[in-house]
Amino acid sequence: MAADAGLIDWVAEALEPMGRVTHRRMMGGATLYLDGTIFAIAGFDALWFKADAESDAVWDAEGCPRFRAQMGERAALMNYRRAPDDVYDDADAMRRWAKVAVAAGLRAALKRRDGTRGSRRERATPAARA
């Protein structure tokens, strides 16, 4: 996966009215954050927005395929959706779709804080941890 610096710069420019976009390089690509909330990954010559069960219907209606990572002979589906084509040249579209992705990122962060996601030890009840 390769991160396109021009794409990352465009995302930051388009989303400037919403907040500060930062990124972290990972496996040749980049994970994008808006004011600290993960909302997208850039790689495979595309932008992939964060998704979840609550936003899946919106992405499906737009025809945005799920990110599929090939792991040897297995393929794993991840909670990211390919960005609609209009985000690459329309700042309003970028902001509209980024809002959907940021909302999914915020919900994922809440789940982690609530302990509904994480290691088995983190999910165990206090009595089970004792």
Side-chain angles (χ1 to χ4, degrees):
M1 176 163 72
D4 179 339
L7 175 59
I8 294 169
D9 289 345
W10 162 244
V11 172
E13 179 184 330
L15 299 185
E16 188 173 14
M18 292 175 61
R20 182 170 178 252
V21 173
T22 57
H23 69 279
R24 180 181 299 170
R25 298 216 178 265
M26 298 180 75
M27 298 180 283
T31 303
L32 306 180
Y33 302 83
L34 181 69
D35 292 337
T37 299
I38 189 168
F39 75 97
I41 55 177
F44 298 108
D45 297 323
L47 182 65
W48 300 84
F49 283 125
K50 182 85 173 134
D52 61 5
E54 191 170 323
S55 65
D56 276 344
V58 174
W59 298 111
D60 288 341
E62 190 65 20
C64 299
R66 213 176 270 285
F67 183 86
R68 183 180 300 269
Q70 196 66 38
M71 298 177 188
E73 293 186 23
R74 279 187 27 203
L77 294 176
M78 297 177 66
N79 278 334
Y80 290 89
R81 297 296 193 107
R82 187 176 187 96
D85 290 339
D86 58 351
V87 304
Y88 296 101
D89 58 10
D90 182 344
D92 290 331
M94 176 69 77
R95 287 188 289 275
R96 183 173 59 252
W97 289 107
K99 285 178 185 178
V100 175
V102 168
L106 288 169
R107 286 189 295 270
L110 283 174
K111 285 181 181 179
R112 281 191 298 278
R113 277 196 294 269
D114 290 346
T116 55
R117 214 175 141 199
S119 71
R120 286 186 184 157
R121 179 167 174 75
E122 290 171 338
R123 288 190 307 258
T125 62
R129 283 187 239 145

